[in-house]
Amino acid sequence: MNTLADQHMLRRLPEGRIVLGSASLLLGLNAEGALRTLAGPIVQALADRTQATAFLSTAVGEEGVAVLTPTPKDAFVNINYRVGSRHPLTQGAAGIAILAGRGATEGEPESVMNARELGYSLTEGQLQKGTTGIASPVPMPREFSVWQDLSIGVVGVGGLDHDLAIKEVLVAARDLARAAARA
């Protein structure tokens, strides 16, 4: 158990039950798994509505990992955000949103506290110079315990409409949580 927990393949819930961990999700990235099937249309719609590259990310240890990264269907130029790309949870909108979706911890970064209060994280140039990232935690139902640490958002350059993107990211997070509750 400890070796699998150290690799984030399993985790123990507070009541002692053992469930799959976030790294187990990455084993199925190339398969059409339940999360990808459930989230795919929502993340694609987010990309289309904001005209920015959208993403769904999860935590694996202390890193955020991109699970889905659709681009707008009718955009002339897109940002390529690779599925499987990783970054520290303390950097970038996706990671900060994941941390904001967890309970407060002593000494957490101010960016996480602000994101928890606002419901979203907005970062400028943290992962790539010239980009803006906007992300929100996704409050998944308890039965989706393997997918508890999720964020959904967009990344864009230049003309990203922040107000529209924030609104649409928050709607997408809510829609994904509702879709999971119905699944």
Side-chain angles (χ1 to χ4, degrees):
M1 165 67 187
N2 288 340
T3 300
L4 292 173
D6 290 345
Q7 298 302 313
H8 307 284
M9 296 299 288
L10 297 175
R11 70 181 195 158
R12 187 177 302 275
L13 296 178
E15 72 273 6
R17 195 167 58 116
I18 296 172
V19 297
L20 291 174
S22 56
S24 65
L25 174 65
L26 297 177
L27 290 175
L29 277 179
N30 293 323
E32 198 60 39
L35 178 62
R36 292 170 61 86
T37 300
L38 183 72
I42 294 167
V43 183
Q44 181 64 60
L46 176 60
D48 293 338
R49 287 192 308 264
T50 60
Q51 289 298 292
T53 299
F55 57 81
L56 180 69
S57 294
T58 190
V60 176
E62 297 303 311
E63 293 182 311
V65 180
V67 176
L68 291 169
T69 61
T71 57
K73 290 178 182 169
D74 60 353
F76 184 70
V77 175
N78 291 308
I79 293 176
N80 182 14
Y81 188 174
R82 287 183 299 105
V83 168
S85 60
R86 296 170 174 260
H87 59 83
L89 289 175
T90 55
Q91 294 179 349
I96 292 168
I98 287 170
L99 292 174
R102 297 175 177 174
T105 61
E106 182 144 349
E108 68 186 358
E110 186 175 339
S111 59
V112 174
M113 291 185 284
N114 290 339
R116 187 176 296 114
E117 182 177 319
L118 296 170
Y120 67 90
S121 172
L122 188 152
T123 60
E124 301 275 355
Q126 283 194 358
L127 299 179
Q128 180 67 45
K129 186 178 178 180
T131 61
T132 299
I134 299 172
S136 175
V138 180
M140 294 295 278
R142 183 174 174 81
E143 55 270 19
F144 286 85
S145 59
V146 68
W147 302 326
Q148 288 300 307
D149 288 330
L150 293 177
S151 68
I152 191 169
V154 296
V155 60
V157 292
L160 180 65
D161 182 334
H162 291 183
D163 293 334
L164 172 67
I166 290 166
K167 178 183 137 238
E168 294 297 340
V169 163
L170 292 171
V171 166
R174 183 199 68 222
D175 288 351
L176 181 52
R178 285 182 178 165
R182 289 190 305 266

